[in-house]
């Protein structure tokens, strides 16, 4: 592997590692078991990335690089990869190639700190979306004030994001990104309203009737 190729591989691996870490930051990591599983997935993704090269020899060298550069911190995983790479060095053809997969859309960035959201629906059927929205917004560290079904003839039939201060326009758009990420296929409008009883940073997600 030439120095140029080695640099390109390292750049690709580090980029992959950064992407995985970013994804983990928005995930639910509840307890030591979940953390351990997340770490295993992290190392698995690094190894799979190393197997993307069309050259068997480069796949072996990249696996060796993973352990020599300490990108894999887990001792058991590192020793396993090192042993496999050592065995495969005599016959690189046994190392399978993993074709790159189509990138999956990543979650949007979190809204501004202090954002507070209330989920509202006009029917019980629409309220079924509360669960997935709660999960998505909680992962984005949004404070959820509540979720309920209401009767409000003054609201539009379709879904809508409401905000109440001009400075919260970007916050409402950020909430819209998360809502669209969680509820694909639905079209939400974003509109500012007046309400003297709310404070800045408050946004309503109306799921419609």
């Amino acid at each position: 592997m030439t120095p140029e190729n080695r640099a390109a591989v390292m750049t690709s691996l580090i980029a992959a590692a950064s992407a995985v870490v970013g994804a983990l930051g928005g995930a639910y990591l509840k307890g030591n078991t979940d953390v351990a599983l997340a770490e295993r997935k992290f190392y698995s993704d690094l190894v799979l990335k190393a197997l993307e090269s069309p050259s068997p020899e480069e796949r072996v060298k990249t696996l060796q690089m993973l352990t020599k550069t300490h990108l894999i911190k887990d001792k058991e995983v590192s020793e396993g990869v090192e042993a496999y790479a050592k065995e495969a060095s005599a016959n690189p053809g046994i190392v399978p190639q993993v074709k790159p997969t189509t990138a999956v859309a990543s979650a949007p960035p979190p809204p501004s700190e202090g954002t507070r959201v209330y989920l509202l629906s006009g029917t019980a059927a629409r309220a079924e979306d509360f669960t997935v929205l709660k999960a998505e917004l909680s992962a984005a560290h949004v404070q959820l004030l509540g979720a309920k079904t209401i009767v409000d003839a003054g609201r539009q039939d379709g879904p809508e994001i409401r905000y109440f201060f001009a400075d919260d326009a970007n916050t409402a758009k950020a909430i819209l990104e998360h809502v669209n990420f969680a509820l694909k296929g639905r079209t939400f409008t974003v509109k500012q309203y007046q309400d003297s009883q709310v404070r800045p940073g408050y946004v309503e997600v109306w799921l419609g009737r």
Side-chain angles (χ1 to χ4, degrees):
M1 183 185 294
T2 66
E4 291 78 9
N5 286 340
R6 185 176 294 106
V9 170
M10 282 297 296
T11 300
S12 180
L13 288 171
I14 291 171
S18 300
V20 173
V21 170
L24 292 179
Y28 290 110
L29 298 179
K30 302 185 292 294
N32 292 334
T33 300
D34 287 343
V35 172
L37 288 174
E39 290 178 347
R40 288 290 176 137
K41 183 181 185 305
F42 172 81
Y43 297 134
S44 174
D45 287 346
L46 281 183
V47 171
L48 292 176
K49 186 70 178 176
L51 299 179
E52 290 182 1
S53 172
S55 167
E57 291 77 13
E58 288 197 6
R59 292 198 291 271
V60 172
K61 290 179 180 179
T62 306
L63 288 174
Q64 294 171 337
M65 189 186 302
L66 285 178
T67 58
K68 291 180 179 179
T69 57
H70 304 292
L71 281 174
I72 297 179
K73 303 294 185 182
D74 184 281
K75 182 179 180 181
E76 182 182 356
V77 177
S78 180
E79 289 178 349
V81 172
E82 185 176 13
Y84 180 75
K86 183 177 181 180
E87 177 186 352
S89 61
N91 183 14
I94 68 172
V95 181
Q97 180 187 11
V98 176
K99 297 294 180 65
T101 57
T102 303
V104 178
S106 59
S112 302
E113 184 177 355
T115 299
R116 307 175 314 284
V117 173
Y118 212 115
L119 304 179
L120 299 167
S121 73
T123 63
R126 291 303 187 194
E128 292 178 357
D129 290 330
F130 283 163
T131 300
V132 66
L133 280 178
K134 286 179 180 179
E136 172 63 26
L137 294 175
S138 293
H141 307 292
V142 172
Q143 181 182 356
L144 293 172
L145 299 179
K148 64 181 179 180
T149 300
I150 62 173
V151 176
D152 187 346
R155 292 178 182 265
Q156 65 182 38
D157 291 336
E160 179 183 58
I161 307 292
R162 287 190 175 195
Y163 66 101
F164 302 88
F165 295 87
D167 288 344
D168 288 333
N170 288 334
T171 296
K173 291 177 182 178
I175 293 296
L176 174 63
E177 288 188 49
H178 284 276
V179 170
N180 286 336
F181 185 78
L183 303 177
K184 296 175 176 63
R186 300 193 62 190
T187 302
F188 283 74
T189 58
V190 179
K191 187 175 180 181
Q192 182 178 356
Y193 288 82
Q194 299 296 323
D195 190 333
S196 60
Q197 296 183 341
V198 304
R199 295 180 291 110
Y202 174 73
V203 176
E204 291 181 351
V205 176
W206 167 251
L207 295 176
R209 299 183 178 86

